[in-house]
Amino acid sequence: MSLTDSKLRNIKSPYNGPREVADRDGLTARITKNAMITFNYRFRWHGKQQRIKIGRYPDMKLSLARIKTGELRQALQDGLDPRCYAVQQSGGRLLGDICNDFMDIYAIKELSSKSVILYKSFINKYIMPNYNIDVERYRYTEWVKFLDTVRTNTSAANAGSILKRLKTVIRWSKSRGEIKDSFCLDIPIKAIGTTQSQRDRVLEWSEVAGLWRQIESSRATPKTKACVQLLILTGARNAEIREAKRAEFKLDDAVWVLPKERSKTGKAIRRPLSDHSIHILELLDFIYGVERQYLIEGAQRDKCLTTHSINRYVQRLNEVLKYEHFVPHDFRRTISTRLSEKRVMPHVTEKMLGHELGGIMAIYNKHDWIDEQKAAYQLYWNELKTHVFQ
């Protein structure tokens, strides 16, 4: 049934009816639980369903929404993308277009593959449904409502993260002279959410030993066990181990060379291997063969183990052990802290973690203290072994 002004006026909070009500010619009204009503034009472009936000009721009357819909519908019939037509009519820059340009011109060429994946997910989930936001004309309170919805549907920390990404994209457009300003840039995170809390979890020796024993006794596949154990023993990042190629590991030299293409710093990282790390690698070779592409293969031979698989396994370990909750990234903090307690120097543990040194040392000192790293890795395994067999 078509919409009427009477029906729209009678929608009150809390609203429990259908979330979207169709009018005609592609015009719909989206209604939140708080009875916020937004007019949208739905259409198909190159076989994919698209949506343009037209305006918000009662600021925009139903009659005007129908007029706008007619204009967009005519543009579609003339072979024009209604989203581009909307930009031409408003004279402003749409959030969706800015994000697409950000990806094509900057992100894909300059950012890491992981950052690109994060931005793509951000755009698909939060930008595409709000493609038609004019970043210069969108009011402060409208941005806040948009981010409040993110907070309600997810979390305060996620709303803060989304605001940061929005600001990054909008500042990029502003720096290019495409827009003059946006109210979004004025919103403090505390107004709509919180910042992501920084983890400080460090496992005690008894916890690392208990975790190791649980891994050994679990019924997980050898490759899943090996992945987590190597994360514990090397302090490497999750993806550095999961996505590692077998060819990166030189067992005769007891060293793993992470190529610069996979390094977060954009520079190759040499990591020595303790005796037990080599034992784990040799066991993988025995089971899965030396000629494999990835050190730890996933369900398919040409694919690496997924982060979901590791996180799911670590969660199961959490449930069994009932320690204070830990995640794979906490193993990095643990190896650095426990070795520091054993008087291993900070510049050595920083190199073990694959970090760049700060200050003048970052510019002039390119040494990686490979011998000191080797001694530290062996010390860590020897200490862990002592606690495991207590």
Side-chain angles (χ1 to χ4, degrees):
M1 292 178 63
S2 298
L3 295 170
T4 65
D5 283 310
S6 177
K7 289 179 182 178
L8 295 174
R9 283 196 303 270
N10 289 328
I11 293 174
K12 306 296 182 184
S13 178
Y15 174 74
N16 297 315
R19 289 289 176 256
E20 188 164 22
V21 180
D23 184 55
R24 61 173 184 260
D25 298 329
L27 175 63
T28 69
R30 301 188 77 181
I31 310 167
T32 68
K33 293 180 179 179
N34 296 325
M36 185 175 70
I37 304 170
T38 306
F39 292 120
N40 291 267
Y41 172 55
R42 296 182 61 179
F43 64 100
R44 298 189 72 83
W45 183 253
H46 295 311
K48 293 184 178 181
Q49 187 70 46
Q50 305 292 346
R51 181 194 306 273
I52 293 178
K53 178 181 173 182
I54 298 176
R56 184 172 294 164
Y57 182 85
D59 296 337
M60 174 178 282
K61 300 299 182 184
L62 177 59
S63 58
L64 180 56
R66 286 172 173 163
I67 293 173
K68 293 289 185 182
T69 298
E71 294 174 356
L72 296 171
R73 183 178 172 83
Q74 183 60 52
L76 182 64
Q77 292 174 350
D78 292 341
L80 300 174
D81 186 339
R83 292 169 296 185
C84 297
Y85 175 82
V87 174
Q88 294 169 359
Q89 296 303 303
S90 66
R93 287 280 286 158
L94 295 187
L95 179 61
D97 289 333
I98 290 176
C99 287
N100 287 337
D101 288 346
F102 174 81
M103 294 299 296
D104 293 339
I105 299 172
Y106 175 72
I108 292 176
K109 298 176 182 177
E110 304 296 336
L111 301 182
S112 68
S113 59
K114 291 180 183 176
S115 296
V116 170
I117 291 172
L118 285 174
Y119 271 103
K120 284 183 177 178
S121 176
F122 154 72
I123 291 171
N124 289 334
K125 188 170 184 178
Y126 298 103
I127 304 304
M128 295 309 294
N130 299 280
Y131 195 104
N132 203 39
I133 289 177
D134 186 323
V135 296
E136 290 185 283
R137 292 178 171 83
Y138 212 54
R139 293 173 295 183
Y140 187 99
T141 52
E142 291 176 318
W143 284 112
V144 169
K145 288 180 180 179
F146 167 52
L147 292 161
D148 280 346
T149 301
V150 175
R151 176 174 182 161
T152 300
N153 293 337
T154 56
S155 67
N158 187 53
S161 296
I162 297 304
L163 175 59
K164 284 184 177 180
R165 291 196 181 101
L166 283 169
K167 286 184 175 182
T168 297
V169 172
I170 293 172
R171 284 196 185 104
W172 175 83
S173 184
K174 182 178 179 181
S175 70
R176 291 164 55 84
E178 297 171 346
I179 62 171
K180 292 183 178 180
D181 210 344
S182 172
F183 286 117
C184 180
L185 301 179
D186 299 328
I187 301 175
I189 289 180
K190 64 182 179 181
I192 51 85
T194 60
T195 56
Q196 293 280 358
S197 59
Q198 187 172 1
R199 291 185 60 82
D200 58 4
R201 176 79 163 100
V202 177
L203 279 71
E204 300 292 338
W205 278 118
S206 59
E207 292 179 316
V208 183
L211 171 60
W212 193 272
R213 286 192 292 266
Q214 184 59 41
I215 292 171
E216 290 286 359
S217 64
S218 74
R219 294 191 293 179
T221 62
K223 54 190 174 185
T224 302
K225 291 183 180 183
C227 185
V228 178
Q229 288 178 322
L230 288 172
L231 288 172
I232 294 172
L233 291 179
T234 63
R237 297 177 177 89
N238 192 331
E240 290 175 349
I241 288 290
R242 285 190 308 98
E243 300 172 5
K245 304 293 181 63
R246 174 60 184 85
E248 295 172 10
F249 295 82
K250 311 298 182 184
L251 300 193
D252 291 341
D253 299 327
V255 67
W256 167 28
V257 181
L258 181 75
K260 64 180 182 180
E261 293 78 16
R262 295 205 310 111
S263 167
K264 189 173 182 179
T265 62
K267 299 177 182 178
I269 298 173
R270 290 197 303 168
R271 283 193 177 98
L273 299 168
S274 66
D275 292 346
H276 200 71
S277 292
I278 293 176
H279 171 74
I280 293 172
L281 297 177
E282 290 175 338
L283 182 61
L284 289 172
D285 287 347
F286 177 76
I287 298 173
Y288 302 107
V290 182
E291 301 302 323
R292 64 192 185 281
Q293 177 182 2
Y294 288 100
L295 176 70
I296 304 173
E297 297 173 325
Q300 301 176 7
R301 287 187 62 85
D302 60 342
K303 302 290 184 181
C304 64
L305 200 63
T306 66
T307 186
H308 176 69
S309 299
I310 294 303
N311 290 338
R312 183 175 55 191
Y313 178 55
V314 171
Q315 180 56 38
R316 288 203 299 268
L317 293 171
N318 270 282
E319 293 167 357
V320 173
L321 293 168
K322 301 188 185 305
Y323 295 156
E324 179 187 345
H325 189 268
F326 59 87
V327 298
H329 199 76
D330 296 332
F331 303 152
R332 288 169 56 77
R333 197 176 302 106
T334 298
I335 191 172
S336 178
T337 302
R338 297 304 164 217
L339 286 176
S340 294
E341 293 172 346
K342 297 295 180 180
R343 299 187 178 182
V344 176
M345 298 302 291
H347 58 269
V348 178
T349 57
E350 286 296 281
K351 283 297 182 180
M352 293 170 71
L353 296 179
H355 287 166
E356 286 277 15
L357 298 178
I360 295 297
M361 292 186 73
I363 301 173
Y364 293 105
N365 197 328
K366 304 303 180 182
H367 184 49
D368 61 3
W369 290 276
I370 193 74
D371 293 334
E372 290 83 355
Q373 285 191 65
K374 183 175 182 179
Y377 275 122
Q378 192 60 46
L379 171 63
Y380 190 68
W381 165 242
N382 291 341
E383 189 69 22
L384 173 56
K385 181 169 59 175
T386 299
H387 284 81
V388 168
F389 291 108
Q390 278 183 348

